Amino acid sequence: MSFRKNSGQMELEETIRNPGYKDAVDGGSAADASSSGTGERRDATAVKLDAAADEYTQVKPYAGMPKEVLLLHSSRARYRVPREILFWLIVCCTLALVAVTITIIALSPPCLRWWHITPVYQVYPRSFKDSDGDGVGDLKGIKEKLDHFLDLNIKAVWISPFYRSPMKDFGYDVEDFRDVDPLFGNMQDFEELLVEMHNKGLKLIMDFIPNHTSDRHRWFNLSRTRDPQYKDYYVWTDCDPAFPKPNNWVSIFGNSSWTYDEVRGQCYLHQFLKEQPDLNLRNPDVVQEIIDLISFWLEKGVDGFRMDAVKHMLEAAHLRDEPQVDPDKPPELVTTEWDLYHDYTTSQVGLHDMLREFRAVMDDYSREPGRYRFMVTESYDYEEVDKTMMYYGTPLIKESDFPFNFYLLDLPQNTSGWWAKHLVDLWMSNMPSGKWPNWVVGNHDRPRIGSSAGRIYVRAINLMLLTLPGTPTTYYGEEIGMENINITQSQVQDPAGKYNVSLSRDPQRSPMQWNSEKNAGFNTQTNNTWLPVHPSYETVNVEVQNKDEGSVLSQYRFLNGLRQSELPFLRGWFCYVLSDTNVFSYLRELDGHKEAYLMVINFGRGPSTTDLSAVKELPDELRVLMSTNTANNQKVFQKSRIQTEAGEGLVIRYSTYTRFHPNHPAQCYVSEKACYLETVGILYKC
């Protein structure tokens, strides 16, 4: 008993200081302790701060202490000061973190979108892969070959038209914009393709044709019968049935742009085939129809549109004759588009306002994070490059993300370093400040670059395509160096070729060459292909080139990987270094980034030795990272003697913090200036 008592005394000595409670423990009876008054008993359980403050001598807090005791301890310096220090430290750290975050956001250049990073790969669906053995490629065939894009590290696929169509112009004459032509599959096939593409991280860009429809479209059939709602959906005018030429306008395919319709008793305009009547886009109801069609496909989840033939969308309402290029030429001999200045049938006032309306619709669907909807416009403006640049829009009003740049299609006209630089600079020097360039070296309308420029230049052209600033576009088969096929008059499928076989676009549309088996792997079920397969398919195909590290395909894959992984190619400066009869040389560099890249490409007819000793920003010795001639990989050149063969391209990587662009501002371009902070690995505006 005494042990417990003493023990209790010890415990209370160490933990409480209430005198009344202590006396009771030291030997006083419970009654004595009680008789000391109810006030003291209350003090044993709840200390009154005002009465007990002077008596309280206990130093250490104890478990279960009342709030009042806790407040007394918490106000002591040993507890208060660390608490305040910790509080203000947290406040300062939070403010510093917010300030750093705001600074990084303010100084960071805009994020690149998916169409900045990846090349765009054009699929011509008739020729890509046939899944059902009818000899024509289809949507299921594209789905079968999606891994090909992943192998190339390509994430954006543009598919040429697959709408329901009479196929007078292979899909560019649309009978129903809301349906898939049975030749390519059905809507379920499309939806399954789209889902599978998105599952693999691929983007789908559709071809869209706003200028015209097929003459079998429901709108046209209602318009020709003067249905009150549709009578003005197309461009109609009175004309003489015996001589149906209200003016001298000429179709892209040749001859008059007007055809007399017996049902309506008027002529309708068609800037392409007579089976492709032009829509009257001055009618707001027609514009709304186009917007509804854009929304229809965006709702399905497509990632963008290539807007076809946009410069033809509006015509002058007065329908006056266009001026002749040769005023002395008899009017009856004006039969081609090259005979006229197209002052009244292309690039009319109001065109860009309409495209901005389309862009606004796409922006509405771009609000979902990661689902930006891309728009590219197609307009062949030839020497009138300023007209092409207008499709970029203005600093305040957005239009297309970029208009297609077709000037490199003219490279075969003069394979030289000077000519290559001229074509590149034609775009770069005219492009509005801050805009993003792009490059096209082949498509379904132009001969393949391997045939037009020559097989020996294919690798060099791919090298240039993938190392220039901006977005490259690759036509199917260019990644393996496919060439045009030869066709006879009886094999012609293209409407243009049926008028003149030399104008046929069939040669560049032959089936994709997948392997060395029957039909190049395009159709493995029957011996039927809509166009002949190129005889080279046994050696020029995807399967063979995948096994060869020095093939066109392997080099394409390497260059695309380099482009996407190295900051100077996506974010850096582009600078001309040299151009002469043979060589076109340029470099890519980024401020703050130690590594830079020099490209030396020989477009000439023979070997060349390039002297860059006058370029003081380059080191004296240069090591080749990659050559289109694999024997020269890792070769070291003195900068005064860089040797290349005809058709050879070099990618040279060198290390230096000395930049070229500050000393040569007139030779350099950048879309969005940025610097690299190597110590922490971040980009910032500079």
Side-chain angles (χ1 to χ4, degrees):
M1 194 69 175
S2 63
F3 174 78
R4 291 179 64 188
K5 180 178 179 181
N6 291 337
S7 175
Q9 182 178 357
M10 182 180 296
E11 179 181 349
L12 291 172
E13 280 286 334
E14 292 175 353
T15 60
I16 67 172
R17 64 173 186 144
N18 188 293
Y21 186 76
K22 183 177 178 181
D23 288 343
V25 173
D26 286 344
S29 65
D32 291 339
S34 178
S35 65
S36 65
T38 58
E40 284 186 278
R41 173 56 62 86
R42 290 192 188 97
D43 287 343
T45 58
V47 180
K48 295 183 178 179
L49 295 178
D50 55 350
D54 295 336
E55 303 174 15
Y56 194 82
T57 59
Q58 180 68 29
V59 175
K60 295 182 180 180
Y62 59 93
M65 72 181 93
K67 180 177 69 175
E68 292 83 355
V69 177
L70 179 63
L71 290 172
L72 280 176
H73 282 291
S74 66
S75 64
R76 290 176 177 248
R78 72 177 68 179
Y79 300 110
R80 186 185 72 254
V81 173
R83 188 173 67 248
E84 290 179 353
I85 291 174
L86 184 60
F87 170 78
W88 287 111
L89 185 62
I90 292 173
V91 170
C92 291
C93 288
T94 302
L95 292 175
L97 184 61
V98 171
V100 169
T101 303
I102 293 173
T103 302
I104 290 175
I105 293 173
L107 292 179
S108 295
C111 293
L112 296 179
R113 298 192 183 275
W114 56 263
W115 51 271
H116 291 120
I117 299 169
T118 178
V120 174
Y121 188 103
Q122 182 188 356
V123 169
Y124 195 67
R126 297 180 69 94
S127 301
F128 197 64
K129 181 65 172 74
D130 176 17
S131 71
D132 57 11
D134 65 355
V136 178
D138 46 49
L139 297 180
K140 285 185 177 180
I142 297 172
K143 183 181 173 184
E144 288 179 15
K145 293 298 184 179
L146 292 181
D147 287 343
H148 179 61
F149 309 129
L150 300 182
D151 290 341
L152 295 175
N153 201 22
I154 286 173
K155 299 298 177 63
V157 181
W158 154 34
I159 304 178
S160 294
F162 49 83
Y163 307 102
R164 182 180 288 276
S165 166
M167 297 295 164
K168 294 295 184 180
D169 191 19
F170 293 141
Y172 286 93
D173 51 321
V174 181
E175 181 181 344
D176 188 349
F177 283 98
R178 288 182 167 89
D179 198 8
V180 174
D181 194 273
L183 192 66
F184 302 120
N186 54 44
M187 188 60 76
Q188 182 178 346
D189 294 334
F190 168 78
E191 291 170 350
E192 290 175 357
L193 170 64
L194 183 60
V195 168
E196 189 64 19
M197 288 182 67
H198 286 169
N199 287 342
K200 291 179 179 289
L202 300 171
K203 305 292 185 181
L204 191 155
I205 302 168
M206 285 184 63
D207 234 319
F208 190 79
I209 304 97
N211 178 69
H212 51 264
T213 70
S214 165
D215 61 355
R216 290 172 55 178
H217 196 289
R218 184 177 66 92
W219 298 344
F220 186 75
N221 288 322
L222 290 169
S223 184
R224 67 197 307 214
T225 59
R226 299 182 185 267
D227 181 280
Q229 181 178 347
Y230 296 96
K231 65 179 182 178
D232 293 327
Y233 266 43
Y234 295 83
V235 181
W236 296 95
T237 190
D238 293 329
C239 64
D240 181 356
F243 188 74
K245 291 186 178 181
N247 56 32
N248 70 344
W249 295 358
V250 175
S251 162
I252 299 300
F253 290 104
N255 297 315
S256 176
S257 291
W258 298 94
T259 293
Y260 180 75
D261 180 69
E262 293 182 356
V263 175
R264 175 143 172 161
Q266 285 185 307
C267 283
Y268 64 88
L269 175 70
H270 53 88
Q271 295 200 60
F272 294 86
L273 295 175
K274 66 182 180 62
E275 293 87 359
Q276 295 171 289
D278 276 34
L279 287 164
N280 177 18
L281 287 161
R282 296 191 182 279
N283 182 343
D285 292 337
V286 177
V287 175
Q288 187 59 51
E289 293 274 16
I290 297 297
I291 289 173
D292 291 345
L293 292 171
I294 291 172
S295 299
F296 173 81
W297 290 104
L298 292 176
E299 288 284 350
K300 286 195 173 290
V302 301
D303 300 288
F305 291 106
R306 170 214 181 243
M307 296 291 182
D308 177 70
V310 291
K311 74 175 185 179
H312 298 283
M313 287 168 56
L314 289 177
E315 308 80 24
H318 54 64
L319 304 183
R320 290 202 293 265
D321 281 354
E322 291 188 312
Q324 294 183 193
V325 173
D326 179 3
D328 298 327
K329 190 171 189 177
E332 62 272 14
L333 298 181
V334 174
T335 58
T336 74
E337 62 172 322
W338 311 110
D339 292 329
L340 298 172
Y341 293 111
H342 298 287
D343 295 345
Y344 305 142
T345 54
T346 64
S347 305
Q348 297 298 292
V349 174
L351 167 64
H352 293 279
D353 292 332
M354 193 178 307
L355 289 171
R356 289 163 192 162
E357 283 189 65
F358 300 164
R359 174 73 260 178
V361 174
M362 299 183 72
D363 284 343
D364 287 341
Y365 285 87
S366 299
R367 293 175 182 173
E368 182 182 349
R371 292 303 309 277
Y372 182 84
R373 310 305 176 95
F374 167 75
M375 187 173 99
V376 58
T377 48
E378 183 227 29
S379 178
Y380 287 92
D381 292 303
Y382 305 103
E383 70 279 359
E384 297 179 301
V385 64
D386 55 315
K387 289 186 176 180
T388 303
M389 295 302 163
M390 292 178 69
Y391 294 103
Y392 274 114
T394 70
L396 298 178
I397 304 176
K398 191 165 150 185
E399 203 165 314
S400 62
D401 291 297
F402 54 71
F404 266 141
N405 171 9
F406 297 119
Y407 291 100
L408 286 185
L409 293 171
D410 293 333
L411 191 61
Q413 293 180 11
N414 180 1
T415 49
S416 70
W418 282 320
W419 182 244
K421 184 198 172 181
H422 166 72
L423 295 177
V424 170
D425 194 58
L426 191 62
W427 192 270
M428 298 302 293
S429 61
N430 286 284
M431 183 178 67
S433 176
K435 296 301 183 180
W436 189 258
N438 74 100
W439 312 95
V440 176
V441 297
N443 62 27
H444 60 287
D445 288 327
R446 293 298 186 93
R448 289 190 178 275
I449 205 74
S451 296
S452 57
R455 187 183 307 172
I456 66 169
Y457 298 103
V458 168
R459 296 167 184 258
I461 290 171
N462 277 341
L463 187 152
M464 181 173 69
L465 178 73
L466 292 164
T467 56
L468 287 172
T471 299
T473 296
T474 293
Y475 183 50
Y476 83 96
E478 302 286 359
E479 74 274 24
I480 60 173
M482 281 179 60
E483 298 177 72
N484 287 0
I485 60 171
N486 294 319
I487 59 169
T488 63
Q489 181 69 56
S490 62
Q491 293 172 319
V492 170
Q493 303 288 329
D494 182 25
K498 291 181 178 180
Y499 291 105
N500 183 345
V501 69
S502 66
L503 299 177
S504 175
R505 297 165 295 179
D506 292 328
Q508 58 262 32
R509 299 176 178 181
S510 61
M512 179 66 177
Q513 295 160 208
W514 294 107
N515 54 45
S516 304
E517 298 175 6
K518 180 176 65 176
N519 300 322
F522 167 73
N523 175 7
T524 59
Q525 300 179 39
T526 65
N527 196 26
N528 183 25
T529 58
W530 78 284
L531 281 173
V533 176
H534 197 285
S536 69
Y537 77 91
E538 291 185 353
T539 55
V540 180
N541 65 66
V542 173
E543 185 176 80
V544 167
Q545 294 194 14
N546 266 328
K547 299 174 183 177
D548 179 3
E549 293 184 358
S551 67
V552 176
L553 180 65
S554 295
Q555 290 185 353
Y556 184 100
R557 183 187 296 112
F558 173 82
L559 289 165
N560 189 30
L562 185 71
R563 174 185 176 275
Q564 296 188 42
S565 62
E566 294 297 314
L567 284 172
F569 288 104
L570 288 175
R571 293 285 195 175
W573 289 84
F574 164 74
C575 299
Y576 302 116
V577 175
L578 177 143
S579 61
D580 59 24
T581 305
N582 294 317
V583 169
F584 176 39
S585 179
Y586 54 93
L587 60 80
R588 305 301 309 279
E589 63 183 15
L590 176 66
D591 289 313
H593 197 282
K594 189 175 183 180
E595 291 183 333
Y597 294 85
L598 173 70
M599 271 57 67
V600 180
I601 307 174
N602 186 342
F603 287 111
R605 299 295 180 181
S608 179
T609 299
T610 302
D611 181 3
L612 298 181
S613 56
V615 185
K616 62 181 181 179
E617 293 85 359
L618 294 175
D620 291 333
E621 287 192 346
L622 298 167
R623 181 178 295 274
V624 176
L625 173 65
M626 178 257 180
S627 170
T628 56
N629 177 3
T630 55
N632 290 331
N633 286 349
Q634 303 305 316
K635 191 171 183 179
V636 176
F637 289 107
Q638 296 296 315
K639 70 176 179 180
S640 60
R641 288 186 58 82
I642 303 174
Q643 296 175 326
T644 53
E645 297 295 325
E648 183 180 5
L650 306 177
V651 178
I652 297 170
R653 179 162 59 191
Y654 61 95
S655 296
T656 179
Y657 287 110
T658 303
R659 297 281 77 112
F660 181 88
H661 70 85
N663 300 322
H664 308 84
Q667 301 298 315
C668 298
Y669 301 87
V670 68
S671 289
E672 183 76 33
K673 190 177 179 183
C675 295
Y676 183 67
L677 188 59
E678 197 169 38
T679 53
V680 292
I682 63 170
L683 285 167
Y684 64 94
K685 295 177 183 176
C686 55

